[in-house]
Amino acid sequence: MTPLTPPDPTGPAPDSLARLAERGARSWPHAPALSWQDAQGTAHWLTFAEARAASDEIARGLLALGLAPGDRIAVQSGPRPEWTLTLLAAASCGLVLVSLLPSTVPDEMVHVLNDCDAKAVLCEDGEQLAKVRAARPRVPGLRHVVVMDAADAPADPSRPDPARTDPSLTLDRLRAAGAHTVAPDALARRRAAVRAEDLLLIIYTSGTTGPKKGCALSHANYLAVLRAHPSPPRHPDAAPDTSNGTVFVVTGPHTIALLMQLLTWWSGYTLVWWRGGSDDDLVAELRAARPSIVPLVPLALEKIYRAALADVPPARRPELLEAAREGLRVRRMLAAGEPVPTGLREWFDRTEETLFARVREGFGGRVRRVTVSGAPVSQDVLAFFLGCGLPVVECYGMTETAAAATTNTPEDYRLGTVGKPLPGVEVAIADDGEILLRGANVFRGYWGYDEGGFGGVRDGWLHTGDLGELDGDGYLRLTGRKKELIQLSNGMAVTPHPLEQQLRTHPLISQAVLYGEARPHLVALITLDARRAAEWAAARALPTRLETLARTPELLAEISGALEHANSGFQEYFRARAVHVLDRELSAEAGELTVSLKVARPVVHARLRALFEALYD
C-alpha cells in the first residue's frame, strides 16, 4: 500500500492559517507550488520556498502601510500568482482579505469597499485601476491602492513612502518597501498573534435579490474543511522537487477557487489556473495540465461533455452514450463484487483501453477526482463520465460553509446525491424541506448584519435556502431552491432545475431558464452555444450569426424537438409548453450569471420579462 504524505511532517497541526506559507515551504520546499503561462504562452512556476519568500515580502509591505490586525484589504483581480501570494500574505499578518471579481463595476465597488471599510485595494492592471479611481471619491475610508502590473502604474519617485496614499504604488514597490522598512521579527510577531477565530476572508454573495452581503469566514472555518480532505498519495521514491499532484482551477478567484488555493498549500499540490477562452481552449489546457484534482461548476462540466461528443462523428454518438451506460453498469457490478458475464467483461476490457481511455484523456489521463458543485448538474452527464471511468462526483457547499459541506468520493458515491456530510458537519432537514447545516465550517454571519431571517445562522444551524432530503444511508439529495420554486396559477409549486438540466444536455443549448410564476404553465428561454451552433448551421448551409440563426425555422425546429424530448421525462406540471431562443448568450458582466456561472434568475426574469410573457399569447 502506498504511504500517505502527512499534512505537516515537520510540526504540529496548525491552529490558524497564518503559517500556511511557512508550512508549505518547510514540507515541500523544492516542489512547484504555482504554475502559469504568460501572454506569450511561456510557462513559469514558483516553488513552495520561493512563493513563501514572495508572500512574506508582500506581508511586510502591507505592514509598511500601517495596516493593523483585522483591517480589510480588497483584491480585484483575475486568477494569477500574485492573487494567491496576497492571500497567503494577508493570512500571515492577521489581515482580512476581501474578494472582488475583475468584472466588478465602480458602483458595486463603492458598496463593497464602504460596507467592509477596506483600507487598501490591490488591483490587477490599468483597467481595474481605472475602476478604483472612479469609485475612490465615494470611498472615504480607502487609503491605499496597489497595482500588480508595474507597466500599468509607473513608479512615482517623488513619493517613495508607501505609507502615503499613492494610487500608482506597484506591488513590486510595496514588496521592496516592506523589505527595507519592516523587520522579519515584526512579521513573526504578527503571525504568532493570529488565532483560529480571527477572520480570514470576506466574500460578497452574488446579490441577485438585493445588495451584496459579505460572508465573514474565519481561519477556523477553512481549517475545518482542509482537515477533512484526505492526504494525497505519494510514492516513497518521489523526487523532492515534485508536488503531490496538480489542481486545475477553472473558476475565477472566488468561493471554490479560494478554497483550492488554500488546499494546494495544505496538501502540497501544484496550483494551475485556466487562462480562460473558448470551450476548445478549456479542453486543450485541461489535457495539457494532466491534473489530479479538478473542481468544476456544472456549466464547465457540460462544456467538456459537449466537447467529448463533438469529437465523435454524429452517427457514432449514440454508440458512445450506450457504451457509457453499459460501462457504468459493469463498474457497479465490479464494485459490488458481482460476477460479470464473460462476453460482457471482454467487451468492457476492450472498451476500457480504447473508447473510454480516449474520453479520460480529455482530462489529461491522471485525474484522481473531479468534483462538481455550485449548481444543479445533469445526472446524464455525470453518468456518462462515470461510465467512462472518470471519478466525477457531486459535492455540496456554499460560500457560507467555506465552500464545502457534503461530498461524494470516487470510492463512496451515490448518483443523484451530493454525498455524505464532511467529518464534523451535521445535516438536518426542516419541516418545510429546507437543508440546515451545522459545523465548524459554518460562517459566523454576514458582515455588518444582525441576521435573523432567511439564509442566517440560528441556534448554530445555517438555513441554506436549499431544499433536500436525506436517504436512509445518510446521502443528501438536493430537490430545489426555497426561493426558486415557481408557483403556478393552479397552486402547484414546481422546481425549475430538473427540466433546465435536461435541456442543457443538448449540444446546441448553453443555458435554459424556466418562467411561470402565477401563470398556468411553464415556458422556457434558451440560449445557444455560439461555436457549436455555428458549426451546426454551417453544416446545413444556414446563417452562422446567432442573431440570424436564432430565427431560422430549422433551428427553431431543432430546439422544439429538444424541448419535446426533455418534457417527455417529466410530469405535466414540470413541462414547458413554449420556448424562445435568445439571439445571444447570457452575460456575467450584465449580472445575468452569478460568479459561479449560475443563472441569476430574478435578473433574467426582470430583464427579459416581455419575451417570457409573449410566449403565453
Side-chain angles (χ1 to χ4, degrees), residues 453-464:
F454 175 83
V457 179
R458 300 194 293 277
D459 299 324
W461 290 97
L462 171 66
H463 292 244
T464 65

Side-chain angles (χ1 to χ4, degrees), residues 394-396 405-409 412-414 417-423 425 427 470-471 473-476:
E394 276 191 277
C395 54
Y396 171 65
T406 72
T407 187
N408 284 289
T409 69
D412 180 16
Y413 71 88
R414 183 161 294 176
T417 77
V418 291
K420 297 178 180 178
L422 295 176
V425 175
V427 178
L470 286 166
D471 69 16
D473 296 318
Y475 292 89
L476 177 65

Side-chain angles (χ1 to χ4, degrees), residues 215-230:
C215 296
L217 293 151
S218 68
H219 289 249
N221 293 146
Y222 281 99
L223 279 168
V225 175
L226 294 172
R227 286 170 176 154
H229 181 78

Side-chain angles (χ1 to χ4, degrees), residues 220-266:
N221 293 146
Y222 281 99
L223 279 168
V225 175
L226 294 172
R227 286 170 176 154
H229 181 78
S231 300
R234 185 176 176 87
H235 194 276
D237 298 327
D241 59 349
T242 59
S243 68
N244 284 331
T246 298
V247 176
F248 184 79
V249 181
V250 174
T251 61
H254 213 56
T255 301
I256 297 173
L258 282 165
L259 175 61
M260 290 300 106
Q261 290 178 84
L262 298 173
L263 176 64
T264 58
W265 284 80
W266 180 263

Side-chain angles (χ1 to χ4, degrees), residues 508 525-530 533-534 536-537 542-560 579-585 611:
L508 296 183
L525 178 125
I526 295 296
T527 64
L528 301 174
D529 182 300
W536 181 90
L542 297 172
T544 57
R545 286 175 55 85
L546 285 186
E547 296 86 344
T548 306
L549 177 63
R551 299 292 167 262
T552 62
E554 294 87 349
L555 186 282
L556 294 176
E558 179 73 17
I559 297 303
S560 294
V579 62
H580 177 89
V581 180
L582 198 63
D583 59 3
R584 62 176 178 84
E585 295 203 65
L611 296 179

Side-chain angles (χ1 to χ4, degrees), residues 79-96:
R80 56 185 296 158
E82 293 88 349
W83 210 117
T84 306
L85 297 175
T86 302
L87 172 60
L88 295 169
S92 71
C93 58
L95 299 175
V96 182

